[in-house]
Amino acid sequence: MKTIKIYMALSFFLFMLSGCDLTDLNENPNEPDNTVDYNFNDPLLASLLRTGVITEGDVEQRYKSLQIDFYAQIADGGNFVTRNYEIRDDWNLSIYKLFQSNLASLNIIINSLSESGDRYKYTIAVAKIWRIYIQANAVDFFGPIPFASYKETVDNPPYTSVEDAYNEFFTELAEAAEMLGGSSEEPIFMDSASDIIFGNDNERWRKFANSLRLRYALRLSEVNSSKCTEEAQKAIAAGTMTGSDDNAYLPPKADGSWGQNYNYTMFSITWTTAINMTTTFEKLLTNIGGLNFPTGLVNKRNGLNGKTIELTGVHPEKVDPRATQMFDPGFEVGNWKGYPVGLSTTNYNSGEYYKNNYAEMGYIVKNGAAYITRPYDLFLYEEVCFLKAEAALRGFASGDAKSEYEKGVRASFQTWGVSDKADQYLASAEKNLAGTSANFDDQSGAGNTALEKIITQKYIAAFPDVAMESWSDKRRLNLPRFDVLIQRYELLYDNSNTNIKDPTNFIKRVQYPSQESQINEEEYNKGLQLLGGPDYVSTPIWWDKNMNYCTSAN
């Protein structure tokens, strides 16, 4: 009986083997085969969505808060020479290297995935979009800059003109948007959680690509109006953001590790540094919309320590209702007023310029706690509205400039939680200290053209994370109205010239790190030729033609 059972078991085993491919027995189970997806580009691309924005720790502060914010005059974050248009070479070297390393990594992703045909089409499209987003920020920061192409490998990439770079932006974004509308075997990411911006939503990535294309199209308004028109119309026709649900945000890690919280919360609360409203921003926010300054405003940062610093009588009578969502009264004395731009390092934070007596960022505290998880604004729907408004106003695209302008204002009011005040605000002809009113049809008086209204509202809506666009508009149009710095780098600027309508009174770009002239001299010199001037912060880049659309009398 035992023999029969053994025979039957052996027969069954041989029967099973007869239906199998016995060659599998000779394969090493520890070696990968072509049935397993080892896409190591997935985590790499996911990590680049974060590092490509420069949002972590010291580098972020030196790039955004202590440079771009100074140049856009949206806020004053500390006593550094960059606030007077001097450059910190060590800062810019780290920024320069970060841009380059991110682009190199994206090139690797695009190249390796392209070998799989259309299988990873969506992933390639997103890598292309993100590559252009990073490259555009670098170009608008430095000017002509060397970037390796994913299409060819060279030992030392040449400097690329800003014009050629922008042409590449338009081509790549158009291709990426088209790819996202097609078919692919695989999603953008194998795990949708890896897409920390849009959660594997093809349509939102596609709208983001087209919205970026519209942003870059308007950048060419003064240097190539025909190309501006062509690209703006194509971007709009292809489909840009249609509402706040399409907004592009980047969540901070907020995991308790160093340098991971939302940047301004970290700078102001963790590092205990007040980031103040500027006099420029105060003038743009004061009186516009005709709404009374609210009562009961307190400094929320002080409240974290159980203290109450209440509003004093030093504040405007009327103010843009978003302003008091953005800024709190001073930390030690509850004055709500702007900090002078361009103070010398000697006068900064001393005597009457003690910074804790000036209005400071207030939205970084939420529900009585530091708002460490606030997401970064990458691209908001309101910007699309203002881009369309300018395009319609200036004949670059069809549309109703007033309608797009008002949609942009309403979207921004929604962002800042004051939607109930939008109707009264848009109906008001009361003017800010630059002479600009919110009512689109009221265009009387200096500083109150339709274009000044659009760019002023775009500027307010960009606060605080999209300040690069505010600085770019200032360079492109000399709008909105800015104060001229009290003290600028004397080797390049005439401090006796305080004319707000002179575009050359403001910073134009950031210098290359000195290392470039030392170890890459030949290409660096070619870069200067493409720049069209010396490696100074006063040398405009290609799309900046020193135009002036500011009509303000103040």
Side-chain angles (χ1 to χ4, degrees):
M1 189 70 173
K2 184 181 293 186
T3 303
I4 295 173
K5 287 182 178 180
I6 294 173
Y7 174 77
M8 291 177 64
L10 181 60
S11 298
F12 180 76
F13 177 69
L14 291 173
F15 173 77
M16 293 299 294
L17 285 180
S18 67
C20 299
D21 183 356
L22 297 180
T23 59
D24 288 348
L25 297 176
N26 296 320
E27 293 182 356
N28 186 345
N30 295 317
E31 291 183 356
D33 61 34
N34 59 9
T35 66
V36 182
D37 183 4
Y38 291 98
N39 179 13
F40 296 112
N41 294 288
D42 199 301
L44 177 57
L45 179 56
S47 69
L48 290 169
L49 293 182
R50 184 172 300 283
T51 61
V53 184
I54 310 183
T55 59
E56 298 189 8
D58 286 341
V59 178
E60 195 285 332
Q61 186 186 34
R62 293 164 182 177
Y63 169 68
K64 178 68 166 60
S65 180
L66 300 180
Q67 290 203 78
I68 292 174
D69 289 359
F70 284 150
Y71 310 151
Q73 296 193 17
I74 69 156
D76 188 297
N79 192 15
F80 294 87
V81 294
T82 46
R83 67 197 315 280
N84 306 107
Y85 297 167
E86 292 188 52
I87 294 303
R88 286 286 301 266
D89 185 65
D90 56 330
W91 294 4
N92 287 339
L93 177 60
S94 60
I95 295 166
Y96 188 87
K97 287 181 175 179
L98 190 54
F99 278 133
Q100 298 289 359
S101 64
N102 283 328
L103 267 293
S105 296
L106 286 162
N107 286 345
I108 292 171
I109 292 171
I110 295 169
N111 268 322
S112 61
L113 293 181
S114 295
E115 296 174 358
S116 302
D118 288 344
R119 183 179 181 186
Y120 297 105
K121 181 188 289 186
Y122 296 156
T123 312
I124 294 171
V126 168
K128 282 172 170 273
I129 294 167
W130 203 240
R131 180 177 176 274
I132 295 306
Y133 176 81
I134 295 171
Q135 187 174 347
N137 283 332
V139 167
D140 292 342
F141 194 69
F142 289 108
I145 193 170
F147 277 121
S149 170
Y150 65 83
K151 298 177 182 178
E152 58 181 347
T153 302
V154 295
D155 293 334
N156 187 25
Y159 277 70
T160 301
S161 73
V162 175
E163 181 177 12
D164 286 346
Y166 267 78
N167 286 333
E168 180 184 6
F169 300 167
F170 298 132
T171 299
E172 291 289 291
L173 290 172
E175 289 180 359
E178 185 175 355
M179 291 168 73
L180 287 167
S183 60
S184 173
E185 294 180 33
E186 304 291 347
I188 299 170
F189 291 94
M190 303 307 293
D191 181 356
S192 62
S194 296
D195 185 354
I196 56 176
I197 299 178
F198 290 130
N200 263 10
D201 190 325
N202 283 29
E203 182 63 8
R204 291 178 71 193
W205 273 109
R206 193 186 66 80
K207 290 180 180 180
F208 179 59
N210 293 327
S211 299
L212 285 173
R213 190 178 181 185
L214 179 60
R215 171 191 281 180
Y216 303 144
L218 268 292
R219 196 86 88 238
L220 273 54
S221 65
E222 309 311 304
V223 70
N224 190 338
S225 60
S226 60
K227 184 67 172 175
C228 169
T229 299
E230 175 190 355
E231 295 298 334
Q233 292 179 0
K234 287 181 177 179
I236 294 170
T240 56
M241 294 176 175
T242 55
S244 59
D245 288 345
D246 294 325
N247 286 347
Y249 301 112
L250 180 73
K253 289 184 179 178
D255 59 2
S257 56
W258 185 89
Q260 302 303 322
N261 296 341
Y262 175 65
N263 54 357
Y264 292 109
T265 306
M266 178 170 60
F267 304 153
S268 291
I269 297 175
T270 307
W271 298 357
T272 64
T273 300
I275 299 181
N276 300 107
M277 177 176 64
T278 64
T279 51
T280 287
F281 211 167
E282 178 190 16
K283 290 171 183 176
L284 297 177
L285 296 168
T286 295
N287 206 59
I288 189 170
L291 292 156
N292 291 333
F293 197 97
T295 60
L297 202 63
V298 299
N299 183 287
K300 293 188 287 293
R301 185 164 66 98
N302 228 321
L304 298 177
N305 301 317
K307 299 179 181 179
T308 301
I309 299 297
E310 297 180 349
L311 179 70
T312 69
V314 180
H315 62 78
E317 290 185 11
K318 297 181 179 180
V319 72
D320 186 305
R322 292 166 292 183
T324 49
Q325 301 295 314
M326 298 171 174
F327 297 102
D328 278 354
F331 184 75
E332 292 187 21
V333 177
N335 297 333
W336 199 93
K337 62 180 181 179
Y339 200 77
V341 294
L343 282 173
S344 68
T345 55
T346 302
N347 290 332
Y348 186 85
N349 200 26
S350 64
E352 65 177 298
Y353 301 120
Y354 183 48
K355 61 186 305 189
N356 277 345
N357 294 343
Y358 289 80
E360 63 173 48
M361 286 186 177
Y363 68 94
I364 54 177
V365 176
K366 183 178 182 181
N367 298 327
Y371 192 9
I372 62 175
T373 58
R374 185 191 191 275
Y376 299 87
D377 301 333
L378 300 182
F379 203 130
L380 302 182
Y381 166 66
E382 37 264 60
E383 181 186 339
V384 172
C385 297
F386 295 125
L387 290 168
K388 288 182 177 180
E390 181 185 347
L393 177 72
R394 305 183 66 189
F396 300 133
S398 60
D400 186 333
K402 177 182 178 180
S403 174
E404 294 295 343
Y405 165 85
E406 292 188 344
K407 282 192 284 186
V409 172
R410 292 183 187 281
S412 179
F413 271 50
Q414 178 183 353
T415 294
W416 289 98
V418 290
S419 294
D420 59 315
K421 298 177 174 61
D423 288 343
Q424 184 178 346
Y425 182 88
L426 286 168
S428 173
E430 295 195 47
K431 299 174 173 59
N432 64 18
L433 301 187
T436 313
S437 69
N439 187 314
F440 192 82
D441 294 326
D442 167 48
Q443 296 180 21
S444 62
N448 203 28
T449 64
L451 185 60
E452 284 172 304
K453 293 175 186 294
I454 292 168
I455 302 302
T456 294
Q457 292 297 330
K458 185 181 176 186
Y459 179 90
I460 297 170
F463 176 84
D465 298 325
V466 199
M468 173 62 88
E469 292 312 299
S470 302
W471 181 30
S472 294
D473 280 341
K474 186 62 182 177
R475 293 178 283 174
R476 179 172 66 97
L477 304 169
N478 197 28
L479 290 177
R481 175 247 178 255
F482 275 17
D483 287 345
V484 176
L485 302 191
I486 295 170
Q487 180 69 36
R488 290 166 292 170
Y489 186 42
E490 293 178 345
L491 294 180
L492 296 178
Y493 291 91
D494 174 10
N495 283 301
S496 67
N497 182 356
T498 59
N499 182 7
I500 62 171
K501 297 178 184 177
D502 182 354
T504 66
N505 273 329
F506 305 98
I507 190 169
K508 298 296 186 174
R509 58 180 287 274
V510 169
Q511 290 169 237
Y512 302 117
S514 61
Q515 177 178 288
E516 275 296 285
S517 63
Q518 297 163 5
I519 66 173
N520 195 23
E521 183 178 7
E522 183 177 351
E523 280 301 322
Y524 170 78
N525 289 332
K526 292 178 182 177
L528 294 186
Q529 292 179 353
L530 295 172
L531 179 62
D535 187 11
Y536 296 158
V537 298
S538 56
T539 301
I541 61 178
W542 172 70
W543 49 258
D544 175 1
K545 306 306 293 183
N546 277 326
M547 300 297 290
N548 174 56
Y549 290 88
C550 178
T551 69
S552 176
N554 302 312

